[in-house]
Amino acid sequence: MPADRHYDVVIVGSGAGGGQAAYTLTMAGAKVLMIEAGRHFDPATTPMFQINGHAPLRGAPTPDKQLGFYDGTAGGGWTIPGEPYVNDSADPRRQFMWWRSRMLGGRTNHWGRIALRFGPYDFKPYSRDGLGVDWPVSYAEVAPYYDKVEMLIGVFGAAEGIENSPDSPPGVLLPPPPLRAGERLVAQRGKKLGLTVAPIHRAVLSVRQDADTLPAKLHPQNPKAQRILAESMRQRAACFWATDCHRGCSIKANYQSTTVHLPPALATGNLEIVTDAMVREVTLNAAGQATGVLYIDKKTGEERRAQGRVVVLAAGSQESVRILFNSKSALFPQGLANSSGMLWRYIMDTPQSSFHGQVPLLEELPRHSEDGAGIHAYVPWGFYREQRTGQLDFPRGYHIQFVTGRQLPSVTTGSGLEWLTAGSYGRQFKEDQRRYYGSLVGFSSVGEMVPNEDCYSELDPGVKDKWGIPVLRFHWQWSEHEVRQAAHAQKISAELISALGGKSPKAPETDGRKVLTRGGEIIHEVGGARMGADPKKSVTNAWGQAWEVKNLFLVDGATFASNADKNPTLTILALAWRTSDYILEQMSKGEI
Ligand SMILES: Cc1cc2nc3c(=O)[nH]c(=O)nc-3n(C[C@H](O)[C@H](O)[C@H](O)COP(=O)(O)OP(=O)(O)OC[C@H]3O[C@@H](n4cnc5c(N)ncnc54)[C@H](O)[C@@H]3O)c2cc1C
Ligand code: SF4
């Protein structure tokens, strides 16, 4: 990249938000520079076909591969050498765990691909129960972007007419895979408890995309974009249901930025990517408008600048917040675009609790393939009526994800069964393993967190990373809302195990505190620079545009005003596309 080159847009980060912004902007003709802190990554090198037995320690997690040997994260995890973060409290339950990926494509290389839309209630939570805040956008405004994203990345699922879990228009979703035996059993028995089991929505190609018609729908009046997208879609194979999506997918059957967004964006000739480049701050002119970014070339340690008419931050919500803090100046002494004082507040994650049991009906089923693309079904939140009539002691809700069937064995398969095997040994132990393999059912709640004042970050006054950049210090505490929600999820999960005729090693926990995951542990962290209708109470407007710096935009989860019980990434993608359209419009009008 020539040092004096001036781009239309400089994007920081190449994950979900950055990938979508780069795609939308370059397809429309904007000249874009993407700056990525991680290393270059070619998804064709993904080790999809190895088995755990081929890996050191049979694939078990190690300090440098914290989700297991084959996890798709290259150069990242809860801890990264030389890139610390700090927690204010020594109490683990008040600490925030921060997962970062340092590779092209960010966390999209190994995310779970569960891609649920937020619903109409989710964008207006304050109006429903007086807690948190409403988003400055409605579901109806975001819906066309959900449609576009689902068509582009490929999402399987079904229209089920579930309250607050919107259906996609006909022709948008791909057909869902059939449910496994255990998933069918949960559906049948769950019905008796009034619970619905629906096909999950997942960013996986159950069939090949329709490369003949989708490109024209996504890029009307743009033949070049249509041609490039059609070619890109033809490069993607359909899933063959046999490997672990968390490793990434070398045949491009699931969505990751490196297989879906970046190849067509590069094919336009409008995108340049610089990897191993750690952005420290957004640079400003005397009028307080963004001029580009300052970054560290990680290979040489040198400071470099990139210049653009517009700057888009997509470094992952908390990293974007950190960049804004580190961009403070005489004009913005509290951090860039932070006169409202809202820049560090209201970080959210997904509260989760788990419960499992063993189901004799699933023992020793006829041997058949139970491979697939992770889970195929879930239990959507269905207690709206009980909530409206005051029968629940917490607001908002959770959906339940559950795992059944014979999974590809790992080093831990078969451990922790003593409560069933009574410590059997030798031949008996082997027989017990065969008997119980595939008969365990695990339920995990995926809940909504109500934003609270105790979850925030700030710059640590002393600690810096290896490039001398100040790091974040986190503060965290779940509120009673999440604690009570977790206890409810335990109770419902235990009822489900009983309805399946199963048993569990322990009783459901009534104190949600004891079973809630830690802050950040579910890796759905959002917030920290929320969008709003009032500049005094938010960092950006409804377009992710900083109120105080009109050529500065955020397209990751930092702008989330709430974090529904739907996993966040599909909404990050939809909002990033919407923001990118707005940037194009504002640039064409000469407003930015
Ligand atoms: C194991 C796992 C499972 C998950 N499952 C799901 C799921 O099923 N459904 C779901 O919705 N979500 C899931 N998620 C979360 C999902 O991955 C994130 O919501 C999503 O990737 C966020 O996109 P992003 O663009 O904000 O950040 P990222 O994808 O993390 O991308 C940010 C990029 O910015 C780069 N960057 C950071 N700092 C800088 C800097 N200073 N300078 C330059 N570049 C920088 C990073 O290296 C990274 O490449 C999962 C995550 C993990 C780890
Ligand atoms: S299960 Fe399908 S989408 Fe997932 S990695 Fe394997 S082929 Fe790819």
Side-chain angles (χ1 to χ4, degrees), residues 235-247:
Q235 300 296 319
R236 301 183 65 192
C239 175
F240 52 69
W241 316 114
T243 46
D244 175 4
C245 292
H246 287 104
R247 299 182 186 187

Side-chain angles (χ1 to χ4, degrees), residues 46 48-49 113 202-205 237-256 371-374:
T46 300
M48 281 171 76
F49 301 104
R113 276 91 184 172
R202 210 174 182 118
V204 168
L205 302 188
C239 175
F240 52 69
W241 316 114
T243 46
D244 175 4
C245 292
H246 287 104
R247 299 182 186 187
C249 187
S250 63
I251 62 165
K252 305 186 178 187
N254 62 31
Y255 161 72
Q256 43 200 97
D371 288 341

